[in-house]
Amino acid sequence: MSMRPNMKFSIIVSAVIIVVVPIIIGFYMLNKVVDPDEIMVARTEVSPELITIKGGFADSISRYHDYYLSHHNNSLFIQIKGSKLPIGGSKDFTISFSNPYGNVDEIYLLGPGNSKKKIWPNP
């Protein structure tokens, strides 16, 4: 007894959906820019050579994965990428990078949309 072609097609499509959809959802959740209100900054150090930011997440499940930097008018803007999946990454983070920007007057965390939080100098 052989399967009908429509039945084979349905099984293949179902199998692909079962495998691909969780992978897409996982990648989306791993590459999400975190809302600044979900981030706790413990210490920020700024020198002419180096900028270091130490912090973590307010909840116990979020994990740090990466960051993006931008600079405009002596202000530095940082977007923290994280996930709600307890896969890889760490709850706490230390971001350290050289300071090619010269005089930095303020540092902000940027989130999705227009969310913004000043982290240095102390708000």
Side-chain angles (χ1 to χ4, degrees), residues 8-9 14 18-19 23 48 55-56 60 69 78 82 89 99 103-105 108 111:
K8 286 182 183 179
F9 180 75
S14 297
I18 288 170
V19 171
I23 290 172
S60 61
L69 289 175
I78 301 171
N99 181 4
N103 186 27
V104 175
D105 294 333
Y108 293 91

Side-chain angles (χ1 to χ4, degrees), residues 23-58:
I23 290 172
I24 291 171
I25 290 171
F27 280 124
Y28 170 75
M29 292 180 80
L30 287 173
N31 292 316
K32 181 182 171 204
V33 174
V34 179
D35 187 313
D37 290 334
E38 297 178 22
I39 300 170
M40 299 179 305
V41 175
R43 189 169 76 201
T44 304
E45 297 174 0
V46 178
S47 74
E49 296 83 29
L50 192 67
I51 297 173
T52 302
I53 300 165
K54 294 184 180 192
F57 295 98

Side-chain angles (χ1 to χ4, degrees), residues 56-75:
F57 295 98
D59 63 14
S60 61
I61 195 166
S62 292
R63 297 291 183 257
Y64 168 79
H65 289 281
D66 202 3
Y67 67 94
Y68 296 114
L69 289 175
S70 58
H71 181 260
H72 183 68
N73 291 341
N74 293 339
S75 292

